[in-house]
Amino acid sequence: GCGSMTSTADAGIDALRSTHDGLVAVVRDLSDEQLVAPSGATEWTVAQVLSHLGSGAEISAATLRNAVDGAGRLPDGFNQGVWDRWNAMSPRHQADGFVVADAALLADVEALTAEQRETLQVDLGFLPAPVPFATYAGMRLSEAAAHSWDVRVAYDDDAVIDEPTARVTSEKVTVSRGPSFVVNNASSSACSCRASTSASQACGSMPFILAVTIRLYMAAARWPPRSEPQNSQDLRPSAIPLRPLS
């Protein structure tokens, strides 16, 4: 019902705020050398992970503004322009830019009224139809939580995604058995947003959603990170306590 949707949206917003505040507290103290250290994401430095999060926050904020204004999808080429600009930044500017861009996104999200959180439909650009705001927030949370862990685990072997955030995210992202994925009952049988290996881009396909979900369970269960950064995203589904899919 409507109250349930609002409650779900509020939980997602609270988790986004917690994830942002926790990561910013780490990022502000990082040296230039630490920014170019390997992260928990294969082949990405810490700064590149922050570039990915920062560019994603900028695109997400623009997407939300369009939804609020009733303007529909972002124009062709918008995302690529954002990625190109972030890819050209120095590691320090990528880190500082993330702090600013993610804070701006959170301000826009937190400013939504209760009615907007309940009724707003957001056109993400890579799904066949707009999705409820709660779904939009949950998808951003899955990205923010996983990559926040990628940054923090570079300096803290005991880094985890806190249980409330992992719980909200696992409730928002459900992987289907077929070649499609389901997000809050909004399904796409051929979802694929980007396949570039640029540090500011990531695939929006089912394998990516599966990877995010599995890594959230791993972090929440306090699994130790892999000793070799290039192997940090290996998937071992048989060892993950995923609930059976109906």
Side-chain angles (χ1 to χ4, degrees):
C2 293
S4 176
M5 182 64 74
T6 303
S7 177
T8 301
D10 290 345
I13 292 172
D14 290 345
L16 279 169
R17 167 55 65 186
S18 174
T19 299
H20 168 85
D21 289 347
L23 182 54
V24 167
V26 172
V27 171
R28 289 195 184 281
D29 292 333
L30 296 181
S31 67
D32 290 345
E33 291 74 18
Q34 288 175 313
L35 286 174
V36 296
S39 72
T42 304
E43 298 181 355
W44 283 7
T45 66
V46 168
Q48 286 172 323
V49 173
L50 295 172
S51 173
H52 173 68
L53 282 176
S55 60
E58 186 175 332
I59 292 169
S60 293
T63 299
L64 181 61
R65 285 193 296 271
N66 270 21
V68 171
D69 295 340
R73 295 188 174 189
L74 296 175
D76 291 343
F78 180 88
N79 291 8
Q80 190 62 56
V82 172
W83 294 326
D84 290 344
R85 177 160 39 80
W86 281 81
N87 286 336
M89 292 181 185
S90 68
R92 176 57 61 186
H93 286 155
Q94 288 173 333
D96 293 344
F98 154 74
V99 174
V100 173
D102 205 50
L105 172 61
L106 262 292
D108 289 345
V109 166
E110 291 172 336
L112 294 176
T113 66
E115 181 180 2
Q116 287 174 317
R117 297 180 187 192
E118 179 181 305
T119 62
L120 189 65
Q121 297 286 311
V122 183
D123 192 336
L124 299 172
F126 57 86
L127 290 178
V131 299
F133 168 75
T135 298
Y136 159 90
M139 293 181 73
R140 175 60 188 177
L141 177 60
S142 70
E143 180 89 342
H147 289 307
S148 169
W149 183 83
D150 284 332
V151 171
R152 292 180 289 110
V153 79
Y155 319 107
D156 179 8
D157 287 348
D158 294 323
V160 298
I161 296 171
D162 65 83
E163 183 179 349
T165 298
R167 184 183 304 113
V168 171
T169 306
S170 65
E171 291 172 353
K172 299 300 298 176
V173 181
T174 305
V175 184
S176 74
R177 285 179 175 169
S180 62
F181 73 87
V182 179
V183 184
N184 254 30
N185 299 321
S187 64
S188 169
S189 60
C191 174
S192 179
C193 74
R194 298 176 291 280
S196 170
T197 57
S198 169
S200 289
Q201 304 177 35
C203 179
S205 64
M206 187 275 289
F208 173 70
I209 301 298
L210 175 61
V212 169
T213 304
I214 287 176
R215 293 175 66 211
L216 283 170
Y217 275 104
M218 289 172 65
R222 302 187 69 86
W223 279 35
R226 303 295 166 84
S227 59
E228 298 179 0
Q230 65 269 28
N231 294 330
S232 64
Q233 289 184 333
D234 287 352
L235 302 182
R236 296 184 179 180
S238 62
I240 309 302
L242 291 173
R243 290 175 294 185
L245 297 171
S246 57

